[in-house]
Amino acid sequence: FFFQAEDGIRDYKVTGVQTCALPIYESLAFIEQLPRLEGLAVGGTPVTDAIFGYLRSLPNLRGIGVNWTRVSGRGLATLTDAQLKHLEISGMKDPEVAVAYLHKKGVAEWINFDGMKMSSECVRLLSEMKTLKALHFREGLITPEQLESLRRRLPACHIHIWK
C-alpha cells in the first residue's frame, strides 16, 4: 500500500511512501527497513544526494519522485542496482547526467522533466530509449524540432507538453 510519511512508517509490507511533511530525514531513516518499497516521492523537500544512500539497499525500488529537490543526476547515477521505471525529476540541475544514466539502464518507462531545458544530447539519448511510454516537458524548454524528433523516433511514447 501507499501512504504519507506523516502517517508513520511502521509496516514492513509498505510498497510506497510519499513524504509531504518534514522532518524528512527522520522519515527516511526507516526506509532501509522496508525491503518491499517500490516507490518513494520526496518532491519539494530539502533532500540532497544523501537520499540515495538510503535507497541503495532497496531491491524493489521502481519509482522515485525527487522533483524540485536538491538532488542531482550524479546522485541518481549512484543507484547502480536500481531498475527505475517511473521518475519524477523535474528541476534537476544536471539533466544530461540523469538521462545518460537512464539511457544506460534501459528500463525507464515514464519520466517527468518539467522545468528542465532539454539539450540536444538529452533528446538524442531519450530518442534511443525504446522502453519509454510517457515523457512530460514544460512548453518552451524543449524546441519544436526536438519534440518532433522524439515523436518520430518514439511513436509508441506519449509525449505531453505542460503549458
Side-chain angles (χ1 to χ4, degrees), residues 49 51 72 74 94-95 103 107 117 126 128 140-141 143-144:
D49 286 345
I51 188 174
S72 70
R74 284 174 181 71
D94 53 356
H103 179 268
V107 296
K117 185 162 180 58
L126 288 170
E128 296 174 359
L141 297 179
T143 68

Side-chain angles (χ1 to χ4, degrees), residues 124-142:
R124 183 188 71 76
L125 291 172
L126 288 170
S127 71
E128 296 174 359
M129 295 171 62
K130 303 304 181 193
T131 57
L132 289 172
K133 296 179 180 176
L135 291 170
H136 299 266
F137 302 99
R138 174 68 58 184
E139 184 178 51
L141 297 179
I142 183 169

